[in-house]
Amino acid sequence: MRTLRNAFVLGGALAVVALLSTGAPAADKDQVIKDRQAQMKRQGGDMGAVKGFLEDKNDLATATTKATDLVESIKNIPTVFPAGSDGPNPEGKYTTKPEIWSDAKGFSAAVDTAEQKATALLAAVKAGDKAAIQTAFSDMGKNGCGGCHEKFREEIKK
Amino acid sequence: MPAAAAADNAAITRGAYLAAAAGCDQCHTDSKNRGAPYAGGRVMLSAFGRIATPNITPDKTTGIGAWSDRNFGQAMRWGIAPDGTHYVPAFPFPDFARLTDADLADLKAFLDSLRPVTRSVAGAEGLALAERARAAIGVALSDEPRAPGGSAGSGDPAIARGAYLVDAVGHCRDCHTPRTWLGAPDPDRDLAGARGGIWGGAPNITPDAKTGIGGWSTDEIVALLKEGITPDNDFVGGAMAEIVHNTARLTDDDRRAIAVYLKTLPPKAFDKSR
């Protein structure tokens, strides 16, 4: 997991350097957005696995692995939003709000909140009490994932 | 406890549940600036202009503490303030017109039980006169307050309850239905999604397979209302993230009733032009 995280950080850092130094070639930007979406979907999958445990669809070991991955993945969020990577996701369903960069402090605070809530969720999953997991899951979903999506993601009206 | 006081408490409890379900506090609280709940002052950008929501705590001068039951009913159902001025339908009175008399009374009992907060709000600041005139015409032309619509008359109590929650209490069509030129929800496009509208649009929530939620199971709709999670494990953002804070306060039975009702709606394809 550590290696994976380092790879993410390195990748993100390289992307930032590339964007800053070359003025963001379109292909690189596309890749950054694609990677970003892949990470978001992975986090969604992690949450889905915890939900699956709450619904007796998978075991605690799977939920623990996924909740661990969620915490690690969220720490990398700042690296997948380098300056100049604004724009719609590949399906054109959502786009970034300019506040991600114009209110960098607010964005960073929202990511920190998500990380705290994910960490609390992981602790609850490890303890194995379903009621506590349910509470932490709701909090993470609404105020972690949803908290960021509420302020920094925009739906594209087609 | 005397019987009368117990009855009052029961009304307040029921009213609190309705207020939570309708999300009165979402709009009527200036959360961004740590304003007191229900004391108004939240600035909202609508198609009608910039609106600062009013104080609905029972403060006699800056809130609604001096309102009679009749004043309250007129405001909730017809969008007419005690001084005779018209609200723009950013305040969802066309939906609240469907609330039962008993629920209106409970809501008022709850609001009256709040701590009065003195806070003046310049609600209509910058709101064009034309918009107010349009709202007045819209009210004049609108139907008498109606009973809940849809398939509410099918006899299934869960469907009827769902219809009431969607149509009246939850005022879902405020965002999910496009507007007519008068600013009223277009009945022909009910809940079929809107690109613009008052608050910037929302998706189709009729059971159309392609553009609506036809592919969603009842459980998936319930999960969205409870957790904000979509069938593909995404978490809703924007205005719906706020609404989920309201629907999360409902009972499981009420969330299920909403889901069951939505699935009975006639499927309509999303109209890109609306």
Side-chain angles (χ1 to χ4, degrees):
Chain A
M1 207 55 72
R2 200 80 214 162
T3 324
L4 187 61
R5 190 192 160 194
N6 287 340
F8 262 102
V9 173
L10 185 63
L14 285 175
V16 172
V17 170
L19 288 164
L20 289 178
S21 58
T22 64
D28 289 358
K29 182 172 167 175
D30 288 353
Q31 193 57 48
V32 169
I33 291 175
K34 245 173 109 178
D35 291 349
R36 175 160 75 212
Q37 189 184 36
Q39 181 174 334
M40 290 297 157
K41 287 211 182 280
R42 177 175 132 203
Q43 291 167 193
D46 291 342
M47 285 295 278
V50 176
K51 184 168 177 269
F53 171 69
L54 290 170
E55 293 169 350
D56 298 320
K57 287 177 187 155
N58 58 40
D59 58 20
L60 188 60
T62 307
T64 308
T65 308
K66 295 292 190 174
T68 306
D69 182 69
L70 180 64
V71 174
E72 291 304 311
S73 181
I74 284 174
K75 288 179 183 167
N76 289 301
I77 287 178
T79 67
V80 297
F81 287 92
S85 69
D86 57 300
N89 69 2
E91 288 93 19
K93 199 174 167 202
Y94 295 105
T95 190
T96 50
K97 278 195 175 173
E99 284 81 359
I100 293 172
W101 299 280
S102 67
D103 178 19
K105 237 175 113 181
F107 183 64
S108 169
V111 175
D112 286 349
T113 301
E115 186 186 329
Q116 283 162 17
K117 298 199 180 295
T119 305
L121 175 62
L122 173 60
V125 170
K126 279 182 172 165
D129 176 55
K130 269 200 176 172
I133 297 172
Q134 175 66 61
T135 305
F137 176 83
S138 295
D139 191 30
M140 174 61 200
K142 280 195 271 290
N143 303 311
C145 310
C148 251
H149 294 169
E150 190 173 342
K151 291 190 192 116
F152 300 105
R153 181 174 79 168
E154 190 169 356
E155 189 169 356
I156 298 171
K157 311 285 187 233
K158 279 186 269 190
Chain B
M1 191 183 291
D8 286 354
N9 281 338
I12 290 167
T13 305
R14 288 192 305 266
Y17 182 79
L18 287 165
C24 306
D25 56 330
Q26 293 284 1
C27 291
H28 289 278
T29 304
D30 185 11
S31 311
K32 218 173 154 186
N33 299 307
R34 295 168 192 275
Y38 299 96
R42 175 176 175 181
V43 175
M44 304 180 78
L45 291 174
S46 78
F48 303 110
R50 213 165 140 267
I51 294 167
T53 55
N55 179 351
I56 56 169
T57 69
D59 183 65
K60 290 249 190 286
T61 48
T62 63
I64 62 169
W67 289 23
S68 66
D69 290 351
R70 196 170 163 273
N71 291 152
F72 186 71
Q74 193 164 268
M76 290 288 288
R77 289 206 164 123
W78 297 99
I80 300 170
D83 66 3
T85 55
H86 290 268
Y87 301 130
V88 288
F91 172 57
F93 61 84
D95 305 303
F96 295 155
R98 297 172 181 220
L99 288 170
T100 63
D101 290 345
D103 281 354
L104 270 185
D106 289 345
L107 264 174
K108 182 147 194 304
F110 166 68
L111 292 173
D112 285 346
S113 77
L114 296 171
R115 186 174 62 86
V117 177
T118 306
R119 177 173 181 158
S120 284
V121 177
E125 195 186 353
L127 214 57
L129 180 67
E131 295 301 347
R132 293 191 159 258
R134 195 167 76 158
I137 298 168
V139 170
L141 296 182
S142 63
D143 297 335
E144 286 288 323
R146 288 172 290 171
S151 43
S154 67
D156 180 332
I159 293 176
R161 177 67 181 166
Y164 186 65
L165 289 166
V166 167
D167 293 345
V169 182
H171 53 94
C172 305
R173 65 172 50 79
D174 205 24
C175 293
H176 290 280
T177 302
R179 302 272 163 165
T180 65
W181 69 276
L182 286 170
D186 182 348
D188 294 334
R189 304 292 315 151
D190 203 20
L191 303 174
R195 283 189 71 219
I198 295 175
W199 307 113
N204 182 354
I205 54 168
T206 72
D208 182 60
K210 256 190 157 164
T211 63
I213 57 171
W216 293 37
S217 70
T218 306
D219 283 348
E220 285 169 339
I221 301 172
V222 170
L224 182 118
L225 297 172
K226 189 178 177 194
E227 312 284 2
I229 190 169
T230 67
D232 57 354
N233 295 323
D234 187 7
F235 283 81
V236 294
M240 195 60 198
E242 281 196 55
I243 300 299
V244 167
H245 286 282
N246 306 334
T247 53
R249 300 186 281 200
L250 295 171
T251 61
D252 283 329
D253 282 352
D254 274 354
R255 275 189 291 268
R256 191 152 295 275
I258 291 174
V260 167
Y261 171 63
L262 290 178
K263 288 188 81 73
T264 68
L265 291 172
K268 283 175 190 154
F270 183 61
D271 179 351
K272 287 182 184 175
S273 70
R274 297 298 301 276

